[in-house]
Amino acid sequence: MLVRLLYASRAVQGMDKAMLDAIVDRSQSSNPEHGITGILCAYPEGGLFLQALEGGREEVNALYNNIVRDPRHENVTLLRYEDIEERRFSSWRMGRVDLKSVNPGVILRFSRTAKLDPFSMTAVGAHAFLEELASTAAIGSRERG
Ligand code: FAD
């Protein structure tokens, strides 16, 4: 039984490179052993996260429980939870999109303004946005610079 979960959250004390690297390092070391794939979209300008997690129901639920308790962010808001036949973000153990490198037009296609606000997106829109990022944006495991 495979599921996909999408959530949005807000960083508690801003978002710096060390914090993002720590999250991505943890994800990339731990997710493979639990069969978790996904994509993490970080928007430092707004201090926002949008993440998709895919994998077995038990494993995704366990990880989401960890994530909800994580003090580095707040307002963790479940946007979508569904059974799936196949993964959509299976190419990355936890691909990370840095929105600084994304054309604002891509954000505008899915948002009211060119500033990302995942909390105001529909579940379908948030998923479509992440799929668009996965197919067009530079996916990195660590931010450069
Ligand atoms: P542990 O004490 O190591 O484990 C607690 C329980 O969770 C155990 O039963 C263990 O088997 C289970 N578990 C641990 N890791 C995973 C996993 N990756 N998948 C399924 N079950 C697991 N951490 C990640 O590991 N992967 C992510 O993709 C991820 N994304 C994050 C995104 C954001 C925006 C933030 C802020 C944090 C993210 N984290 C991620 C970190 C996460 O919040 C926890 O800090 C991390 O999972 C360790 O939690 P813990 O110390 O309670 O887990």
Side-chain angles (χ1 to χ4, degrees), residues 52-67:
L53 302 169
E54 294 177 335
R57 180 161 60 193
E58 200 179 315
E59 290 80 8
V60 168
N61 290 354
L63 176 56
Y64 185 62
N65 279 323
N66 292 352
I67 288 173

PDB file of all heavy atoms in Angstrom, residues 52-67:
ATOM      1  N   ALA A  52       6.409  16.856  -0.457  1.00  0.00           N
ATOM      2  CA  ALA A  52       5.645  15.654  -0.791  1.00  0.00           C
ATOM      3  C   ALA A  52       6.437  14.459  -0.289  1.00  0.00           C
ATOM      4  O   ALA A  52       7.664  14.402  -0.483  1.00  0.00           O
ATOM      5  CB  ALA A  52       5.437  15.546  -2.302  1.00  0.00           C
ATOM      6  N   LEU A  53       5.750  13.558   0.369  1.00  0.00           N
ATOM      7  CA  LEU A  53       6.370  12.315   0.839  1.00  0.00           C
ATOM      8  C   LEU A  53       5.617  11.153   0.218  1.00  0.00           C
ATOM      9  O   LEU A  53       4.374  11.139   0.228  1.00  0.00           O
ATOM     10  CB  LEU A  53       6.265  12.205   2.360  1.00  0.00           C
ATOM     11  CG  LEU A  53       6.882  13.335   3.188  1.00  0.00           C
ATOM     12  CD1 LEU A  53       6.464  13.204   4.653  1.00  0.00           C
ATOM     13  CD2 LEU A  53       8.395  13.320   3.058  1.00  0.00           C
ATOM     14  N   GLU A  54       6.334  10.174  -0.279  1.00  0.00           N
ATOM     15  CA  GLU A  54       5.701   8.990  -0.863  1.00  0.00           C
ATOM     16  C   GLU A  54       6.350   7.738  -0.276  1.00  0.00           C
ATOM     17  O   GLU A  54       7.555   7.734  -0.007  1.00  0.00           O
ATOM     18  CB  GLU A  54       5.899   8.972  -2.389  1.00  0.00           C
ATOM     19  CG  GLU A  54       5.193  10.102  -3.113  1.00  0.00           C
ATOM     20  CD  GLU A  54       5.458  10.105  -4.610  1.00  0.00           C
ATOM     21  OE1 GLU A  54       6.515   9.576  -5.040  1.00  0.00           O
ATOM     22  OE2 GLU A  54       4.618  10.635  -5.348  1.00  0.00           O
ATOM     23  N   GLY A  55       5.552   6.710  -0.122  1.00  0.00           N
ATOM     24  CA  GLY A  55       6.089   5.457   0.391  1.00  0.00           C
ATOM     25  C   GLY A  55       4.982   4.627   1.002  1.00  0.00           C
ATOM     26  O   GLY A  55       3.791   4.890   0.795  1.00  0.00           O
ATOM     27  N   GLY A  56       5.375   3.609   1.765  1.00  0.00           N
ATOM     28  CA  GLY A  56       4.389   2.781   2.450  1.00  0.00           C
ATOM     29  C   GLY A  56       3.614   3.622   3.451  1.00  0.00           C
ATOM     30  O   GLY A  56       4.147   4.584   4.015  1.00  0.00           O
ATOM     31  N   ARG A  57       2.355   3.236   3.681  1.00  0.00           N
ATOM     32  CA  ARG A  57       1.503   4.062   4.570  1.00  0.00           C
ATOM     33  C   ARG A  57       2.105   4.185   5.967  1.00  0.00           C
ATOM     34  O   ARG A  57       2.174   5.287   6.535  1.00  0.00           O
ATOM     35  CB  ARG A  57       0.108   3.440   4.640  1.00  0.00           C
ATOM     36  CG  ARG A  57      -0.828   4.240   5.542  1.00  0.00           C
ATOM     37  CD  ARG A  57      -2.271   3.917   5.268  1.00  0.00           C
ATOM     38  NE  ARG A  57      -2.550   2.505   5.483  1.00  0.00           N
ATOM     39  CZ  ARG A  57      -3.661   1.885   5.093  1.00  0.00           C
ATOM     40  NH1 ARG A  57      -4.598   2.558   4.452  1.00  0.00           N
ATOM     41  NH2 ARG A  57      -3.854   0.617   5.324  1.00  0.00           N
ATOM     42  N   GLU A  58       2.572   3.052   6.491  1.00  0.00           N
ATOM     43  CA  GLU A  58       3.133   3.073   7.849  1.00  0.00           C
ATOM     44  C   GLU A  58       4.350   3.992   7.932  1.00  0.00           C
ATOM     45  O   GLU A  58       4.498   4.787   8.863  1.00  0.00           O
ATOM     46  CB  GLU A  58       3.528   1.630   8.220  1.00  0.00           C
ATOM     47  CG  GLU A  58       3.675   1.374   9.679  1.00  0.00           C
ATOM     48  CD  GLU A  58       4.039  -0.090   9.918  1.00  0.00           C
ATOM     49  OE1 GLU A  58       3.416  -0.982   9.296  1.00  0.00           O
ATOM     50  OE2 GLU A  58       4.952  -0.325  10.719  1.00  0.00           O
ATOM     51  N   GLU A  59       5.210   3.890   6.927  1.00  0.00           N
ATOM     52  CA  GLU A  59       6.448   4.674   6.946  1.00  0.00           C
ATOM     53  C   GLU A  59       6.174   6.162   6.751  1.00  0.00           C
ATOM     54  O   GLU A  59       6.785   7.016   7.420  1.00  0.00           O
ATOM     55  CB  GLU A  59       7.407   4.177   5.855  1.00  0.00           C
ATOM     56  CG  GLU A  59       8.016   2.809   6.116  1.00  0.00           C
ATOM     57  CD  GLU A  59       7.084   1.646   5.775  1.00  0.00           C
ATOM     58  OE1 GLU A  59       6.002   1.881   5.178  1.00  0.00           O
ATOM     59  OE2 GLU A  59       7.442   0.498   6.096  1.00  0.00           O
ATOM     60  N   VAL A  60       5.273   6.490   5.826  1.00  0.00           N
ATOM     61  CA  VAL A  60       4.953   7.909   5.596  1.00  0.00           C
ATOM     62  C   VAL A  60       4.297   8.497   6.848  1.00  0.00           C
ATOM     63  O   VAL A  60       4.626   9.612   7.277  1.00  0.00           O
ATOM     64  CB  VAL A  60       4.041   8.077   4.358  1.00  0.00           C
ATOM     65  CG1 VAL A  60       3.471   9.491   4.279  1.00  0.00           C
ATOM     66  CG2 VAL A  60       4.829   7.749   3.080  1.00  0.00           C
ATOM     67  N   ASN A  61       3.402   7.724   7.475  1.00  0.00           N
ATOM     68  CA  ASN A  61       2.757   8.233   8.687  1.00  0.00           C
ATOM     69  C   ASN A  61       3.775   8.460   9.803  1.00  0.00           C
ATOM     70  O   ASN A  61       3.725   9.469  10.514  1.00  0.00           O
ATOM     71  CB  ASN A  61       1.678   7.259   9.173  1.00  0.00           C
ATOM     72  CG  ASN A  61       0.474   7.219   8.254  1.00  0.00           C
ATOM     73  OD1 ASN A  61       0.389   7.993   7.308  1.00  0.00           O
ATOM     74  ND2 ASN A  61      -0.446   6.319   8.515  1.00  0.00           N
ATOM     75  N   ALA A  62       4.720   7.512   9.954  1.00  0.00           N
ATOM     76  CA  ALA A  62       5.737   7.652  11.010  1.00  0.00           C
ATOM     77  C   ALA A  62       6.586   8.891  10.762  1.00  0.00           C
ATOM     78  O   ALA A  62       6.865   9.679  11.674  1.00  0.00           O
ATOM     79  CB  ALA A  62       6.615   6.396  11.051  1.00  0.00           C
ATOM     80  N   LEU A  63       6.982   9.076   9.504  1.00  0.00           N
ATOM     81  CA  LEU A  63       7.822  10.238   9.205  1.00  0.00           C
ATOM     82  C   LEU A  63       7.048  11.540   9.406  1.00  0.00           C
ATOM     83  O   LEU A  63       7.576  12.509   9.973  1.00  0.00           O
ATOM     84  CB  LEU A  63       8.353  10.142   7.767  1.00  0.00           C
ATOM     85  CG  LEU A  63       9.177  11.336   7.294  1.00  0.00           C
ATOM     86  CD1 LEU A  63      10.356  11.604   8.225  1.00  0.00           C
ATOM     87  CD2 LEU A  63       9.671  11.101   5.859  1.00  0.00           C
ATOM     88  N   TYR A  64       5.801  11.553   8.981  1.00  0.00           N
ATOM     89  CA  TYR A  64       5.015  12.788   9.146  1.00  0.00           C
ATOM     90  C   TYR A  64       4.857  13.124  10.632  1.00  0.00           C
ATOM     91  O   TYR A  64       4.928  14.286  11.023  1.00  0.00           O
ATOM     92  CB  TYR A  64       3.650  12.640   8.461  1.00  0.00           C
ATOM     93  CG  TYR A  64       2.842  13.921   8.483  1.00  0.00           C
ATOM     94  CD1 TYR A  64       3.296  15.071   7.841  1.00  0.00           C
ATOM     95  CD2 TYR A  64       1.625  13.985   9.152  1.00  0.00           C
ATOM     96  CE1 TYR A  64       2.559  16.246   7.870  1.00  0.00           C
ATOM     97  CE2 TYR A  64       0.878  15.164   9.173  1.00  0.00           C
ATOM     98  CZ  TYR A  64       1.354  16.286   8.526  1.00  0.00           C
ATOM     99  OH  TYR A  64       0.633  17.461   8.561  1.00  0.00           O
ATOM    100  N   ASN A  65       4.697  12.106  11.453  1.00  0.00           N
ATOM    101  CA  ASN A  65       4.614  12.366  12.903  1.00  0.00           C
ATOM    102  C   ASN A  65       5.907  12.999  13.405  1.00  0.00           C
ATOM    103  O   ASN A  65       5.877  13.923  14.230  1.00  0.00           O
ATOM    104  CB  ASN A  65       4.327  11.068  13.670  1.00  0.00           C
ATOM    105  CG  ASN A  65       2.854  10.714  13.629  1.00  0.00           C
ATOM    106  OD1 ASN A  65       2.000  11.588  13.685  1.00  0.00           O
ATOM    107  ND2 ASN A  65       2.547   9.434  13.511  1.00  0.00           N
ATOM    108  N   ASN A  66       7.049  12.511  12.933  1.00  0.00           N
ATOM    109  CA  ASN A  66       8.336  13.137  13.307  1.00  0.00           C
ATOM    110  C   ASN A  66       8.361  14.589  12.853  1.00  0.00           C
ATOM    111  O   ASN A  66       8.759  15.487  13.597  1.00  0.00           O
ATOM    112  CB  ASN A  66       9.521  12.426  12.635  1.00  0.00           C
ATOM    113  CG  ASN A  66       9.750  11.032  13.157  1.00  0.00           C
ATOM    114  OD1 ASN A  66       9.129  10.620  14.127  1.00  0.00           O
ATOM    115  ND2 ASN A  66      10.650  10.295  12.514  1.00  0.00           N
ATOM    116  N   ILE A  67       7.963  14.804  11.621  1.00  0.00           N
ATOM    117  CA  ILE A  67       8.048  16.140  11.026  1.00  0.00           C
ATOM    118  C   ILE A  67       7.143  17.131  11.759  1.00  0.00           C
ATOM    119  O   ILE A  67       7.542  18.265  12.035  1.00  0.00           O
ATOM    120  CB  ILE A  67       7.725  16.059   9.508  1.00  0.00           C
ATOM    121  CG1 ILE A  67       8.895  15.383   8.778  1.00  0.00           C
ATOM    122  CG2 ILE A  67       7.439  17.436   8.927  1.00  0.00           C
ATOM    123  CD1 ILE A  67       8.648  15.094   7.300  1.00  0.00           C
TER     124      ILE A  67
END
